[in-house]
């Protein structure tokens, strides 16, 4: 009796025949690609954990569990969370955000540590400490509102990733069964606050790899009709002539091309991850909205009391000049121990009050004009 699946028995050995042989060669090539990408077991576990993280949670590596290291970890975690909430990977550099990062611990709801085991380049066991931080959503939303950050609302879409990879042996589709080969871009999407899906890998989808390679957006959109939402991240990853990897990307939303870009890097994983960044940038640009500010930007009168010496004045001046929410300062009048000013504020009084509250220079802010006390 012939063996199933194209295998025939000869001298105690099953020999691959025809289509089965070709399939085995393709699977071996894909396995080789996984080795090129350096996808380790520990990284797959990290990707699974990342899927469970919410918008207001972040994981950052730390060198220890001391207070100083933890404070730095809180700041980096808050920067990541603000990037996810807003969809803006440059959120941490926006006006006023630096002051919030310095007091990130005030917004932490809970935290803990995790020890991850991996392997060094030599194969020896290595351990990494990860700080897992969960922030108070109301506090994070307040930062976004008062400092004018856009908010990318939930629920967020899950575009289909149509990725073809050519490592020199011809392009191949990365489908659901080969998700580890796309781990870098899938994990990066989660870090940016959304998720990507993969096609199931049907025969018709496998045959569509040519459409990906020639960047036929219409053909890929037709293949995607069975998936929701009608959004596609189309990418082709290939070796650069001088070494390294290049990835060409197109992001499509309901038939409209929102963005095209190219990423390149010596590490295939880094070149691949750039696809998730570009898609996040395109999505947040279209769907993230700035909350209506409590106060509009503009000029506001404030009164500062407790100025009893030239040192007090210099301390106040230094604070105002260093506050990124302050665009301009105009003195109005001086009184005994007080100074009335007109401040040109990027985010209105609400943003200035928040920055002042996080400082060791000013307190208060009530009244008309808003009255602050020098600490």
């Amino acid at each position: 009796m012939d063996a199933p699946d194209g295998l025939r028995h000869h001298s105690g050995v099953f020999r691959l025949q025809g289509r089965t042989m070709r399939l085995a060669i393709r699977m071996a090539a894909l396995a080789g690609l996984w080795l090129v990408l350096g996808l380790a077991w520990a990284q797959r576990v990290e990707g699974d954990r990342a899927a469970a993280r919410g918008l207001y949670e972040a994981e950052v590596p730390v060198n220890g569990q001391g207070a100083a290291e933890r404070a730095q970890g809180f700041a980096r975690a808050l920067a990541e969370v603000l990037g996810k909430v807003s969809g803006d990977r440059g959120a941490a550099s926006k006006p006023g955000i630096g002051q919030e990062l310095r007091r990130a611990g005030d917004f932490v709801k809970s935290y803990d540590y995790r020890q991850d085991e991996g392997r060094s380049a030599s194969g020896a066991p290595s351990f990494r400490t990860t700080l897992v931080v969960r922030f108070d959503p109301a506090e994070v939303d307040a930062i976004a509102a008062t400092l004018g950050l856009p908010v990318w609302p939930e629920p967020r879409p899950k575009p289909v990733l149509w990725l073809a990879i050519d490592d020199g042996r011809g392009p191949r589709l990365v489908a659901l069964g080969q998700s580890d080969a796309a781990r870098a871009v899938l994990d990066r999407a989660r870090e940016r606050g959304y998720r990507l899906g993969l096609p199931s890998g049907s025969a018709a989808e496998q045959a569509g790899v040519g459409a990906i390679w020639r960047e036929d957006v219409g053909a890929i959109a037709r293949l995607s009709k069975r998936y929701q939402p009608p959004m596609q991240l189309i990418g082709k990853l290939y070796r650069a002539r001088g070494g390294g990897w290049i990835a060409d990307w197109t992001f499509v939303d309901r038939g409209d091309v929102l963005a095209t870009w190219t990423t390149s890097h010596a590490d295939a994983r880094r070149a691949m991850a750039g696809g998730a960044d570009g898609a996040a940038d395109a999505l947040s640009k279209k769907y993230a909205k700035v909350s209506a500010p409590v106060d509009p930007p503009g000029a506001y009168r404030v009164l500062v009391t407790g100025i009893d010496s030239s040192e007090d004045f210099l301390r106040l001046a230094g604070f105002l000049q260093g506050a990124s929410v302050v665009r301009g300062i105009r003195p109005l009048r001086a009184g005994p121990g007080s100074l009335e000013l007109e401040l040109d504020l990027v985010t209105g009084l609400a943003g200035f009050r928040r920055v002042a509250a996080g400082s060791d220079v000013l307190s208060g802010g009530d009244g008309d004009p808003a009255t602050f006390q020098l600490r």
Side-chain angles (χ1 to χ4, degrees):
M1 180 182 293
D2 288 343
D5 298 326
L7 292 175
R8 291 185 180 177
H9 189 269
H10 180 72
S11 301
V13 179
F14 283 106
R15 291 184 173 178
L16 294 170
Q17 300 271 325
R19 185 173 58 184
T20 305
M21 173 67 80
R22 292 193 296 272
L23 178 61
I25 292 172
R26 290 173 67 86
M27 291 179 68
L30 187 57
L33 177 64
W34 292 343
L35 293 176
V36 170
L37 296 178
L39 295 168
W41 177 85
Q43 290 170 318
R44 293 200 297 271
V45 171
E46 289 171 4
D48 294 338
R49 288 184 182 124
R53 295 203 298 265
L55 288 183
Y56 299 93
E57 180 177 339
E59 299 185 2
V60 294
V62 291
N63 294 324
Q65 300 185 19
E69 187 71 22
R70 185 164 58 249
Q72 294 176 10
F74 286 162
R76 286 184 283 123
L78 181 57
E80 181 179 322
V81 165
L82 289 172
K84 288 197 292 185
V85 169
S86 66
D88 184 354
R89 51 179 152 172
S93 63
K94 299 298 183 183
I97 298 298
Q99 288 90 336
E100 303 298 339
L101 297 182
R102 284 191 285 273
R103 61 192 194 104
D106 295 344
F107 316 127
V108 173
K109 190 174 183 180
S110 64
Y111 70 90
D112 52 47
Y113 292 94
R114 189 182 71 241
Q115 290 287 114
D116 294 320
E117 181 179 358
R119 295 282 176 180
S120 65
S122 65
S126 63
F127 298 91
R128 184 180 69 176
T129 301
T130 299
L131 176 63
V132 183
V133 190
R134 291 164 287 273
F135 291 95
D136 185 329
E139 292 283 5
V140 175
D141 290 346
I143 293 172
T146 57
L147 296 181
L149 281 181
V151 174
W152 181 8
E154 294 185 284
R156 295 183 176 181
K158 185 180 180 181
V160 180
L161 171 64
W162 293 90
L163 176 63
I165 302 177
D166 184 359
D167 65 348
R169 289 168 285 188
R172 297 177 300 282
L173 177 71
V174 179
L176 191 60
Q178 299 86 40
S179 60
D180 278 350
R183 182 57 55 196
V185 64
L186 298 177
D187 285 354
R188 181 57 180 160
R190 294 184 183 110
E191 291 170 4
R192 292 297 302 273
Y194 73 108
R195 299 185 69 186
L196 289 167
L198 288 169
S200 62
S202 67
E205 291 171 349
Q206 295 286 349
V209 71
I212 297 175
W213 215 253
R214 64 179 180 269
E215 300 177 5
D216 187 340
V217 171
I220 298 303
R222 289 189 291 275
L223 279 175
S224 273
K225 282 186 176 180
R226 59 180 293 196
Y227 303 110
Q228 291 295 328
M231 295 181 181
Q232 300 91 42
L233 173 59
I234 305 168
K236 57 180 184 180
L237 178 70
Y238 51 96
R239 290 185 182 275
R241 287 185 178 179
W245 296 79
I246 297 174
D248 298 324
W249 303 97
T250 303
F251 188 77
V252 183
D253 182 1
R254 294 170 175 81
D256 295 329
V257 175
L258 292 190
T260 59
W261 66 100
T262 297
T263 56
S264 60
H265 202 276
D267 187 335
R269 292 170 298 181
R270 296 285 294 275
M272 187 188 297
D277 281 326
D281 292 344
L283 283 166
S284 61
K285 182 179 180 180
K286 182 172 182 178
Y287 294 106
K289 305 296 181 184
V290 177
S291 302
V294 178
D295 298 316
Y300 289 85
R301 289 170 57 228
V302 301
L303 179 66
V304 181
T305 63
I307 305 174
D308 300 321
S309 66
S310 58
E311 288 79 7
D312 289 341
F313 174 80
L314 291 174
R315 193 156 61 94
L316 172 63
F319 167 74
L320 295 176
Q321 290 169 1
S324 54
V325 295
V326 178
R327 292 186 297 200
I329 308 167
R330 187 164 72 94
L332 296 178
R333 68 174 59 86
S338 67
L339 181 63
E340 188 171 355
L341 304 164
E342 183 180 81
L343 302 180
D344 184 8
L345 302 175
V346 173
T347 57
L349 271 175
F352 182 72
R353 286 192 185 101
R354 187 171 191 91
V355 171
S359 74
D360 58 357
V361 179
L362 294 178
S363 61
D366 297 327
D368 185 16
T371 301
F372 296 87
Q373 295 78 43
L374 194 68
R375 295 178 188 268

